[in-house]
Amino acid sequence: MLRLGNILLWMAAAILLCQARPNVKLNSQSSSGLRSDCAANVMRLSLDKALAVGNQLEVEAINGTKHILLTPSMAAQCGYSMESDPWGNTRIYTSLMGCLVDNKDDATFNVGLRLQMYGENPSDVVSHDVSQTCSYTRWASREILCDRNYMEVSHHMANLDAEAKGQTRDGKDEKLNASLEFSGASQGIWKMTFYTPEPVAMVLQEAEQAGYAAKTTSSRLVMRSPYNTAETYSEDVAGVPMEVFRVSAYYMAPQGLNVVNLAAACPKGGVLFTEDMISWHVPRRVTPLLDGRITVSEMHMGINGQRLDRSQMAARGYTLSTTDFHIVVEIPVGSPDGYYKSHAPDYQYHITYFVEPMLEVMWREDDTQDDTRYKVLFPIMTPLMPQSPQVQDDTVPETRVFSVLLGTFLHDVELRNITFSTGVLTVEESNAKGFTVQEHSLANGAKSFSLQVPFDADVVLKHNPERLASLQDIVLPIMAGTCDQNQFYISVKFGSHGSNFKAIVGPRELTAEMAEDYNFYENGTHLSLILPYTAKDAVFELLTAESVKSRIDLLLLDRANYWVLADLYLACYFPLKATECHPNGTMTAVAVKVESTRNLKPSQLTLKDQSCTPQFSDDRVAYFSFSVDTCGTTRTFFDNYMMYENEIRLSYNNAKGAANTSPVDPDYRQTISCFYVVNETQTVAFSAKPRTYEPAAEIGTGQLMVQMRLAQDPSYELFYQAEDYPVVKYLQQPLYFEVELMHSTDPHLELIAENCWATLYEDKTSLPSWDIIVDSCENRNDSYATIFHPVVSDSRVLVPSHIKRFSVKMFTFTKDDEVLKDQSYVHCDAVICDTSSQADGSCRGQCVHPPGQSYSRPAGVKKERRSTDSTRQRQISSGAIILSNL
């Protein structure tokens, strides 16, 4: 019998991913892979992947005799940006209003770039000079450009002069002229006041040193800002986070000094993802930019800075639409204009999809008829999408060679080493030892890897080699498994070993105690196991909005030699709502510890507001309950509904004395969201008939009704209904009870919760039982004391004295540390008293006793029911409450 060890397990863990980098490498001596074109107010240079192997790229801007190296900060300040895909295809964008572009009367623009490509030898340099002339005369009154690394706004100066009427200064003012000449702005911009939103003043030289750009051209005033500077700020517009840049610029005009207000606002979010679709929402009206009534006169979608017409959009499945609040761009995941990228957080294979849409909108202000062109280049990357590589065992025993195939992977995955049972070998070392490690390229651009290892290799575990000649006589066990909505079902058909093997369930050997828990059954030829998906030995692989993917591993080992006789890895999706949205504005969410975050401690998870911690947690689960207006929850409007969104997270503390438990541990992120309808109309019909007589009350008698209900949260606004029972709760999760006198508006009556207790069974007199409230007060013998909650008048509560509210933490009955039963019932004696009668001694109030009187019952003393008038006392009970094992 031979074993290849843990090769397959570690092949996946040994994959290294090639990351796309901003600095692209080139090696071609030809410029045939360079293409430049003009796309409205930007010039686009494309660098083909054929030039992208073996060299390092530097980009210089050319303006006349000036050659300026475009560092990241210089590029953002002067209107340049660059993007590369994993193949090496690169795009460089240049704003025609860039500070290093040769501008001829705001109509003709000469853009010059030099590409410096360095080989392995620093002296090996290849240069390509690129020049492109663009003509653009369709300038709007105001143009705003949002690129990946900067915001730009330009305004036609004729409009500015008209707006600045009345703000002209006397050009003969000697002090002012001296100030302008000193600042170098006698023919252009003098100073700026930024609004953060607090005003911050700078002269032109100070603003440039801070990373901003400002200039005047023959007809326009231009301002540019990188993102995330000290003078930009964030603002929520129609639920979309925007970065805003607002400035007042003072500039010289022929008639004197003018001042004008400029603003740019660029989206930093607004993207929704499903498995198949990306939905990008941009505010239809960007309030930091627009005042008064406006009309959308043009709207275009594009990709990579280039507009698409309707036929091109339809062919790709793209849509561009509007709602009352938003412009919506929809792009299918996997569209040909984007690309996939590989990732391996915690050695688990994931992919993302990247695409860069463009949106161009023209707004016209109804009052002034001025146009604003708004152009956004917006790179989007999906969240990590887990991918499970498949292992194909092609071993033929007669060939005496192990043969396995692992795949498929994206093109950017590279296999570097393999961990065998004897140690780690690189691919080169494996091939040198006579193994065969090959990479296979598929027609769709994906790849897979194959490994062949001879039976007699030193990395193979060998036992009883004399038996190899009769391999055909060995019959191995056969395992199969299925799932329902709650459990795993595993069956094993014995082989020639019979039941002479060790069963490893998850990380543990199957014991008699485990066998009892897992419904073990054996009949001589077969065995079976039934496990809940929450079993201790199962692992959670993935949590989705409606389910959790759980997996159980089962290994059968030879008792003498620990050979693997059979293995089964059974994974299924089980129903589990990760997020629940309640009509009272409460969100509840569950986070689970998945296999890829094995070092996670759920108790350390928080919401965006780190003070919002789990209401309940254990070593596998964290449960949150919070109001949508707390804990950093954001709100976004879409059509006729609004979305509340938060995030369960674990951001590692990198302060001194604390660090990640592993250099590859990822930050935990789980987005949770709820949607609520904004506008809903309901029609109610009614009719009335005139009375022919005045109603008169008759004297009668009746029974006062009392009910006890279990609330879903401490707001006591939403209650469990009869069809919701049995209600499932976690251990020590608060239970919120309300006892209410029904159908009475008499303010002189008061309800007192006199005694409350819990039992295992529905019969309120059954044993065992546990006191919750004793003589109208909490049970002092309980380490988790009952808490009484105040009741105030509101739209539902007309008479507060008719209601009593209390909470107690979920518990279970145990004996010798064993849980007797997972469910319990709560019962109460309620007394109704007359507060206006001094003779009614029972109406002292909830938990009010004469001085010196104790209200805790000694342990072991059986409770006695108060002997009172049956017309004033009521006994009520809750439905079944079940302890959750999750």
Side-chain angles (χ1 to χ4, degrees), residues 788-855:
F788 290 96
H789 300 281
V791 182
V792 296
S793 298
D794 57 27
S795 58
R796 183 176 74 85
V797 179
L798 301 179
V799 185
S801 63
H802 290 184
I803 294 177
K804 290 296 181 288
R805 292 170 176 167
F806 63 93
S807 63
V808 61
K809 292 185 177 181
M810 180 65 185
F811 62 91
T812 185
F813 289 88
T814 61
K815 182 178 181 181
D816 297 329
D817 294 330
E818 292 290 328
V819 175
L820 296 179
K821 199 174 182 182
D822 285 338
Q823 72 178 23
S824 58
Y825 296 79
V826 175
H827 319 274
C828 282
D829 288 336
V831 175
I832 303 163
C833 64
D834 184 1
T835 59
S836 63
S837 172
Q838 296 182 355
D840 193 343
S842 65
C843 221
R844 292 185 297 267
Q846 191 75 50
C847 200
V848 177
H849 292 272
Q853 180 174 332
S854 171
Y855 53 89

Side-chain angles (χ1 to χ4, degrees), residues 301-303 306-310 312-313 316 318 337:
M301 177 204 170
I303 291 289
Q306 188 67 46
R307 281 189 190 179
L308 300 177
D309 58 34
R310 291 188 178 183
Q312 292 172 317
M313 290 172 57
R316 294 166 166 83
Y318 303 156
D337 293 309

Side-chain angles (χ1 to χ4, degrees), residues 25-82:
K25 296 183 176 181
L26 309 166
N27 71 349
S28 174
Q29 304 296 314
S30 169
S31 60
S32 59
L34 299 174
R35 299 175 304 280
S36 60
D37 59 354
C38 304
N41 57 354
V42 298
M43 189 278 281
R44 183 176 63 170
L45 172 63
S46 299
L47 178 68
D48 191 82
K49 62 182 179 182
L51 301 177
V53 179
N55 296 301
Q56 186 76 24
L57 173 67
E58 285 185 353
V59 181
E60 296 179 351
I62 303 175
N63 186 342
T65 59
K66 294 181 180 179
H67 289 240
I68 308 297
L69 178 64
L70 292 178
T71 63
S73 58
M74 178 62 70
Q77 184 175 20
C78 281
Y80 297 86
S81 68
M82 184 168 67

